Amino acid sequence: MAAEKKVLAFEEVSQHNKTKDCWLIISGKVYDVTPFMDDHPGGDEVLLSSTGKDATNDFEDVGHSDTARDMMEKYYIGEIDSSTVPATRTYVAPVQPAYNQDKTPEFIIKILQFLVPILILGLALVVRQYTKKG
């Protein structure tokens, strides 16, 4: 590793996102993996997909060997300034519509709320008409 730690801003690191210029952030450390692009067992696409973000989870999820972890030392170029790393987004579930237990569509309920009183009124008028003494 370098004798003195270089602190890099996230903005600077995220600009290195090409095959010929690729930097990764893993566990708060910045690595220039450009020389390793052709030799990476997963291919360069795997490395490129981890640029511009904290790639710690991507790295840990694969389960790299101790040999792979030891190799990282020669690609180390500095530390990331944690205050410049954007906050990770948390998943916000979409709002679910109210549960309609009887599965009746809303428009049928609206129609019935309108028609039932009219039918009752009509029935009352018919009964009154026929029961009228006249």
Side-chain angles (χ1 to χ4, degrees), residues 85-125:
V85 178
T88 56
R89 296 182 190 172
T90 55
Y91 175 73
V92 177
V95 177
Q96 297 293 323
Y99 179 65
N100 188 351
Q101 192 168 2
D102 62 359
K103 307 288 188 224
T104 309
E106 290 292 320
F107 72 93
I108 292 177
I109 293 173
K110 297 285 185 194
I111 290 172
L112 289 176
Q113 287 176 338
F114 177 74
L115 289 180
V116 170
I118 290 178
L119 290 174
I120 292 172
L121 180 61
L123 183 63
L125 290 173

Side-chain angles (χ1 to χ4, degrees), residues 40-41 46-47 58-69 72:
H40 188 264
V46 174
L47 297 173
D58 295 345
F59 181 81
E60 296 298 337
D61 287 347
V62 173
H64 285 89
S65 65
D66 290 337
T67 306
R69 293 176 190 279
M72 292 171 60

Side-chain angles (χ1 to χ4, degrees), residues 3-87:
E4 77 181 60
K5 291 182 182 178
K6 184 176 180 183
V7 178
L8 301 157
F10 179 81
E11 187 69 32
E12 179 185 355
V13 175
S14 65
Q15 292 175 1
H16 299 271
N17 58 2
K18 297 175 182 57
T19 305
K20 301 289 185 195
D21 183 23
C22 184
W23 292 9
L24 297 178
I25 303 168
I26 301 172
S27 300
K29 297 178 180 178
V30 180
Y31 299 92
D32 181 355
V33 295
T34 307
F36 187 61
M37 295 294 280
D38 293 331
D39 299 328
H40 188 264
D44 61 351
E45 297 88 16
V46 174
L47 297 173
L48 288 172
S49 70
S50 296
T51 61
K53 64 178 183 175
D54 184 347
T56 305
N57 289 338
D58 295 345
F59 181 81
E60 296 298 337
D61 287 347
V62 173
H64 285 89
S65 65
D66 290 337
T67 306
R69 293 176 190 279
D70 292 341
M71 287 176 64
M72 292 171 60
E73 191 172 320
K74 65 181 172 183
Y75 301 113
Y76 174 84
I77 56 173
E79 303 284 323
I80 189 72
D81 182 358
S82 59
S83 66
T84 63
V85 178

